[in-house]
Amino acid sequence: MASQPLSRADLALALHAGLRRTSATLLIVGIVLIALGTIAILLPELATLVVTSFVSWLLLFSAAAHLYLAFRVHGGWRIAGAVLAGLISLVAGLAMLTNPTLAAAALTWLLAAYLLAGGVAKAIAAFQLRPVRGWGWTLASAAASLVLGLLLLSGWPGTAAWMIGLLVGIDLLLYGWALIALRAAVNRA
């Protein structure tokens, strides 16, 4: 037997109760995001390098995992796809580590896509939170992500060396404040 969908009032109560249960988590995550965002804003070139290096290393670890699995798990002709995926990750990771400027320019496009998609996702989440007091902060964070994504694309490639770090910092800072504001609104209600 399928359960009945929640009424708007029941949904609001369920959302409020869930947010109240995670109140401490909202505060802790908010503070951590604010701290990381502030560091990235103050040191945008370093933050860009950190983001680029992190992605490079993720690709290299992905390459190692693909190649390991290709020869440990797969057998016969089936290893070709896993080896190819591993080699692609390896080449991309090494290229990013050896040419961080080019990697930053490429990541600029990817970050813009992330910010735009994340802005849309946060807007959807904000409208789902609409019955809960403080939902507008999540919508404001969504709007900021969308604006930052468009800003990132407007100055490319000249701003790639520092813009990634700055925009990631701004996005982290705003989302951290949005989580703290949402927590405060939930706890007041």
Side-chain angles (χ1 to χ4, degrees):
M1 180 174 168
S3 62
Q4 296 294 328
L6 294 175
S7 70
R8 186 172 175 89
D10 289 340
L11 177 60
L13 288 173
L15 279 171
H16 188 269
L19 289 169
R20 210 172 247 267
R21 276 193 309 271
T22 61
S23 178
T25 303
L26 289 172
L27 179 63
I28 292 167
V29 172
I31 290 170
V32 168
L33 291 177
I34 289 168
L36 292 173
T38 302
I39 292 167
I41 290 168
L42 294 174
L43 303 168
E45 292 89 359
L46 178 62
T48 297
L49 182 61
V50 168
V51 170
T52 303
S53 296
F54 182 73
V55 172
S56 301
W57 284 104
L58 285 177
L59 288 169
L60 292 174
F61 285 121
S62 171
H66 276 97
L67 294 172
Y68 173 79
L69 289 173
F71 294 103
R72 291 289 287 167
V73 177
H74 300 291
W77 63 272
R78 290 176 283 173
I79 70 167
V83 169
L84 182 60
L87 291 176
I88 290 169
S89 295
L90 179 66
V91 168
L94 289 174
M96 289 179 70
L97 277 178
T98 58
N99 193 344
T101 303
L102 181 61
L107 284 179
T108 300
W109 280 96
L110 292 174
L111 180 59
Y114 157 77
L115 287 168
L116 293 170
V120 169
K122 285 189 253 183
I124 291 168
F127 285 110
Q128 290 173 336
L129 288 170
R130 202 166 52 174
V132 178
R133 205 172 130 156
W135 71 277
W137 288 103
T138 304
L139 184 61
S141 174
S145 292
L146 292 170
V147 169
L148 292 172
L150 293 172
L151 235 157
L152 187 60
L153 290 178
S154 70
W156 190 86
T159 55
W162 56 271
M163 187 69 97
I164 291 173
L166 179 65
L167 293 181
V168 166
I170 292 169
D171 190 59
L172 292 172
L173 184 75
L174 291 175
Y175 195 51
W177 280 113
L179 291 177
I180 290 172
L182 179 63
R183 175 192 181 268
V186 166
N187 287 340
R188 273 194 311 265

